Amino acid sequence: MGTVVLTMKASVIEMFLVLLVTGIHSNKEMTKKIKRLKFNVPQINCDVKAGKIINPEFIVKCPAGCQDPKYHVYGTDVYASYSSVCGAAVHSGVLDNSGGKILVRKVAGQSGYKGSYSNGVQSLSLPRWRESFIVSESKPQKGVTYPSALTYSSSKSPAAKAGETTKAYERPSVPGTTAQPVTLMQVLAVTTAEATHTTLPKPSPSTASTTSSPRPQPMGHRSREMDLWSTPTYTSSQNRPGANPGVQRQDSSGAAFQKPVEADVSLDCKVDLSFLIDGSSSIGKRRFRIQKQFLADIAQALDIGPAGPLMGVVQYGDNPATHFNLRTHTNSRDLKTAIEKITQRGGLANAGRAISFVTKNFFSKANGNRGGSPNVAVVLVDGWPTDKVEEASRLARESGINIFFITIEGAVENEKQYVPEPNFVNKAVCRTNGFYSFHVQSWFGLHKTLQPLVKRVCDTERLACSKTCLNSADVGFVIDGSSSVGTGNFRTVLQFVANLSKEFEISDTDTRVGAVQYTYEQRLEFGFDKYSSKADVLNAIKRVGYWSGGTSTGAAINYALEQLFKKSKPNKRKLMILITDGRSYDDVRIPALAAHLKGVITYAVGVAWAAQEELEVIATHPARDHSFFVDDFDNLYQYVSRIIRNICTEFNSQPRN
């Protein structure tokens, strides 16, 4: 009996031990599962920017392929929060292009970010930004709880929650539009009054509250709105952050603000005008409001209308967008109402991209471009652009667009290292003589540019970039009609002349075309003042009859100088295009020299039996750019684009001063 009891007790104890061990094992499994759930790592895409994520520290998993240059990165080691998180991880060497897990920690904004090439990624430079981050390997630190789901910023909240970083580039909430339009002076007065009541830093431009109680935010990119809130006007050599708060605002000259003087606009001011306004995050809401009021005052001063100036507005940030084109509003009242409704886009200050956009899209017939009116683009920039403007501006000028720049609060000495393109204004404007550029020390001085700007954009005689290589010449064709050419080849030559003529903008005020045919003798086929449309010129070329005879090229040049170019307009470029198929019976050196001395730019085109050394004597220096030889008439067409390109290259290489 005792043995049975002992056996039963042993069985119970064994069963208890089994249950205990099983329970412990289950608890361990449960703990492991809990840990796995606790450290579930969220995955993000390559294009996610750190500024979109509110969490101050987090672990994420990046996909493969984030080395692609379309995922922009700003900085080296410490990155602006406008950067791609995963792109920065590849640049820093924490990840390769196959992706993986990383630890991201937000840090304070920097005074500047230097670009560099590292690990297959070219990072970019950037002026100061409100927030930064650093990337390291995904080793969790003890005592730190990492989120298993990220919190993204929302554009719906009008202000940032305390202690959280808001999304860098959400469109700001649109304040209610008042029934009565405000003036630029009222905007300045309101801001001046605010300056005497607060010394707080500016709110983040994308999340600022519409109330009068600003909340401190991280430092902003090119963030200078603080001086509108709490400090006096600064010159470019002063350090704005260290100035005394609470000082009554004045303009840079120390004078009290006065209402802008109405510009004296003549009734014949007929221009097609595009304003490129800065909508970047750096400008802030109040500066943006001052900028809008400046546009409204411009619209009022210009007296917008079909018989006078027309005006459209493009806003740029990361990318440009047209708010309204030249045909949208045809009076100042409607235009001012539309300007009031413009909301800030935010983003970088990519003025170069905006200029390219305007060149390709804005000044089209569909958008209201009138053709006969000068095209003018006025670019407003807070500080400096975040991209380069030189190449985009060159193409704009070559398209006949007169570029003006207004820069407000440019870079101080210690900021110049962050400007992507030094001396960007002179690289952009139509001419570097000061006529096309304004620099304003403070946004409070912007209204002072109103009158001189309006006068300049309406001074059509000085809008030099309206003149292009294709609309500002008198082009005289000197055509060999000798017997060696033959009837069929002569028609081919005429087609070549027509193809060249088609490339020009022909009218009585733009490019004009004339033609001379020669053998031993010379004949004026039509002069510069005969036809004022492209269609009429092309029809006249078709009607030219083949003459036949000898080849006196020297005499033909003299004849063209007397009968064609002597009647050229003083403000026109004089272009002579001579086509011949043989050696001249007379001397060409003295007539060619006479043409050069009279400012006639000569292009010599030789076919078949033409003497190349003679072509080089006739042609303007350098001969390699002005003389051409083809072995067969049927190949003449191949040189149309090359001749036009050389004409335009020469025109665009003229000094811009």
Side-chain angles (χ1 to χ4, degrees):
M1 185 68 177
T3 304
V4 174
V5 170
L6 287 173
T7 304
M8 290 178 63
K9 285 182 178 180
S11 299
V12 170
I13 292 170
E14 186 180 355
M15 187 179 298
F16 174 77
L17 289 173
V18 170
L19 290 172
L20 180 62
V21 170
T22 304
I24 291 171
H25 180 73
S26 299
N27 286 339
K28 286 182 178 179
E29 289 298 317
M30 184 66 71
T31 302
K32 288 180 181 179
K33 289 180 180 179
I34 290 171
K35 286 184 177 180
R36 280 199 297 270
L37 289 172
K38 182 178 179 180
F39 293 106
N40 182 38
V41 177
Q43 182 162 339
I44 61 174
N45 295 326
C46 295
D47 60 351
V48 173
K49 299 170 184 174
K52 292 183 178 181
I53 301 171
I54 290 178
N55 308 84
E57 191 169 350
F58 51 90
I59 295 175
V60 291
K61 184 177 181 181
C62 293
C66 296
Q67 197 178 50
D68 195 306
K70 69 182 179 181
Y71 305 122
H72 294 167
V73 178
Y74 299 89
T76 301
D77 296 328
V78 178
Y79 302 96
S81 64
Y82 194 59
S83 304
S84 158
V85 173
C86 298
V90 177
H91 180 270
S92 67
V94 175
L95 290 182
D96 58 24
N97 200 38
S98 62
K101 298 176 184 178
I102 55 172
L103 172 61
V104 179
R105 183 163 56 89
K106 299 285 188 71
V107 294
Q110 304 292 302
S111 59
Y113 300 84
K114 286 283 188 181
S116 65
Y117 182 82
S118 179
N119 301 305
V121 175
Q122 176 65 59
S123 70
L124 307 173
S125 297
L126 192 69
R128 62 178 182 257
W129 199 252
R130 68 168 60 83
E131 183 184 60
S132 310
F133 69 100
I134 55 178
V135 184
S136 60
E137 294 180 1
S138 59
K139 294 180 179 178
Q141 297 182 13
K142 291 183 179 180
V144 179
T145 302
Y146 298 98
S148 57
L150 299 176
T151 305
Y152 290 85
S153 60
S154 171
S155 62
K156 296 179 181 179
S157 175
K161 296 178 182 179
E164 291 182 347
T165 303
T166 57
K167 187 172 181 180
Y169 289 131
E170 289 295 338
R171 187 183 295 272
S173 56
V174 183
T177 305
T178 57
Q180 295 297 325
V182 294
T183 66
L184 182 57
M185 291 297 96
Q186 288 171 323
V187 173
L188 297 174
V190 169
T191 312
T192 303
E194 289 174 347
T196 64
H197 292 292
T198 179
T199 59
L200 293 174
K202 74 167 186 174
S204 170
S206 63
T207 58
S209 171
T210 57
T211 70
S212 60
S213 300
R215 180 178 287 108
Q217 294 289 336
M219 177 165 51
H221 153 231
R222 294 192 291 120
S223 173
R224 289 185 293 277
E225 190 170 348
M226 188 185 295
D227 65 348
L228 291 181
W229 285 66
S230 59
T231 58
T233 304
Y234 303 96
T235 63
S236 59
S237 62
Q238 289 175 305
N239 187 2
R240 283 182 284 269
N244 294 325
V247 180
Q248 179 67 32
R249 277 297 231 160
Q250 295 176 322
D251 67 12
S252 56
S253 65
F257 292 119
Q258 297 179 355
K259 187 174 182 179
V261 179
E262 287 293 327
D264 179 21
V265 183
S266 60
L267 294 176
D268 61 349
C269 175
K270 190 174 183 180
V271 294
D272 290 341
L273 182 62
S274 172
F275 272 87
L276 284 67
I277 62 173
D278 189 341
S280 63
S281 294
S282 70
I283 194 172
K285 296 185 73 171
R286 281 166 176 74
R287 281 193 186 87
F288 191 74
R289 208 166 80 201
I290 292 173
Q291 187 176 211
K292 289 202 305 179
Q293 188 57 51
F294 178 70
L295 292 189
D297 291 345
I298 290 282
Q300 183 65 43
L302 282 173
D303 190 19
I304 299 298
L310 293 177
M311 176 175 157
V313 174
V314 171
Q315 183 184 169
Y316 67 90
D318 288 338
N319 295 296
T322 302
H323 284 287
F324 38 86
N325 60 35
L326 298 169
R327 66 166 68 239
T328 309
H329 303 292
T330 55
N331 62 70
S332 295
R333 182 189 60 193
D334 292 347
L335 185 58
K336 288 168 66 178
T337 301
I339 290 169
E340 178 62 27
K341 295 178 181 178
I342 294 175
T343 58
Q344 187 179 357
R345 294 175 63 83
L348 299 175
N350 289 332
R353 187 175 295 178
I355 293 169
S356 294
F357 174 83
V358 166
T359 302
K360 295 174 183 176
N361 302 291
F362 188 86
F363 291 108
S364 66
K365 188 174 182 181
N367 286 335
N369 186 32
R370 291 173 289 187
S373 302
N375 295 159
V376 177
V378 180
V379 186
L380 284 87
V381 179
D382 174 44
W384 61 89
T386 51
D387 65 347
K388 295 184 178 182
V389 300
E390 182 175 15
E391 179 63 15
S393 300
R394 181 185 67 80
L395 295 173
R397 294 193 303 269
E398 291 176 5
S399 300
I401 300 172
N402 295 273
I403 298 181
F404 286 77
F405 254 72
I406 302 176
T407 54
I408 306 99
E409 300 181 10
V412 295
E413 195 60 38
N414 65 348
E415 292 176 326
K416 289 182 179 178
Q417 60 180 315
Y418 303 120
V419 178
E421 189 174 35
N423 199 28
F424 65 89
V425 171
N426 280 344
K427 293 176 180 178
V429 293
C430 180
R431 293 287 184 272
T432 57
N433 55 11
F435 182 79
Y436 292 89
S437 59
F438 299 86
H439 176 67
V440 184
Q441 297 282 359
S442 162
W443 280 90
F444 288 97
L446 181 60
H447 67 281
K448 291 185 176 182
T449 65
L450 188 149
Q451 184 169 349
L453 175 64
V454 168
K455 285 186 175 182
R456 292 182 195 184
V457 299
C458 288
D459 189 355
T460 54
E461 291 300 316
R462 294 189 65 181
L463 296 180
C465 280
S466 295
K467 298 174 182 178
T468 71
C469 57
L470 301 178
N471 71 2
S472 59
D474 279 343
V475 182
F477 291 96
V478 180
I479 306 168
D480 183 349
S482 60
S483 302
S484 58
V485 175
T487 303
N489 288 333
F490 188 75
R491 305 317 301 175
T492 302
V493 170
L494 292 184
Q495 185 60 56
F496 174 67
V497 171
N499 290 341
L500 284 169
S501 299
K502 287 177 185 177
E503 298 294 324
F504 293 95
E505 298 172 25
I506 297 173
S507 76
D508 54 353
T509 58
D510 294 313
T511 290
R512 304 184 304 169
V513 176
V516 166
Q517 185 182 176
Y518 73 95
T519 56
Y520 285 126
E521 301 178 280
Q522 306 84 35
R523 182 169 73 195
L524 179 66
E525 299 294 351
F526 53 91
F528 292 137
D529 56 356
K530 181 71 172 179
Y531 302 110
S532 58
S533 74
K534 187 178 294 188
D536 288 343
V537 167
L538 296 178
N539 284 331
I541 293 169
K542 286 181 182 179
R543 294 195 298 268
V544 172
Y546 176 48
W547 203 357
S548 187
T551 309
S552 294
T553 305
I557 294 172
N558 280 332
Y559 182 86
L561 293 177
E562 186 67 26
Q563 297 299 319
L564 268 181
F565 291 101
K566 193 173 184 179
K567 299 175 184 179
S568 184
K569 291 184 178 180
N571 63 338
K572 299 288 187 182
R573 293 176 75 230
K574 304 177 185 68
L575 303 179
M576 179 191 297
I577 302 177
L578 184 145
I579 306 106
T580 182
D581 81 325
R583 185 180 294 275
S584 178
Y585 293 170
D586 61 355
D587 184 67
V588 299
R589 290 172 294 179
I590 294 177
L593 179 61
H596 303 334
L597 292 175
K598 291 181 179 180
V600 177
I601 301 169
T602 306
Y603 290 83
V605 182
V607 189
W609 302 280
Q612 292 195 38
E613 71 276 10
E614 198 171 79
L615 296 175
E616 292 175 358
V617 169
I618 296 170
T620 295
H621 181 78
R624 66 178 181 275
D625 296 330
H626 297 85
S627 65
F628 308 90
F629 178 82
V630 293
D631 56 2
D632 191 275
F633 285 93
D634 289 338
N635 294 327
L636 275 171
Y637 75 94
Q638 298 176 4
Y639 284 81
V640 171
S641 60
R642 185 175 170 186
I643 291 171
I644 293 297
R645 183 171 63 250
N646 286 10
I647 288 172
C648 287
T649 299
E650 186 173 47
F651 177 88
N652 295 323
S653 66
Q654 297 176 101
R656 293 194 300 113
N657 52 31

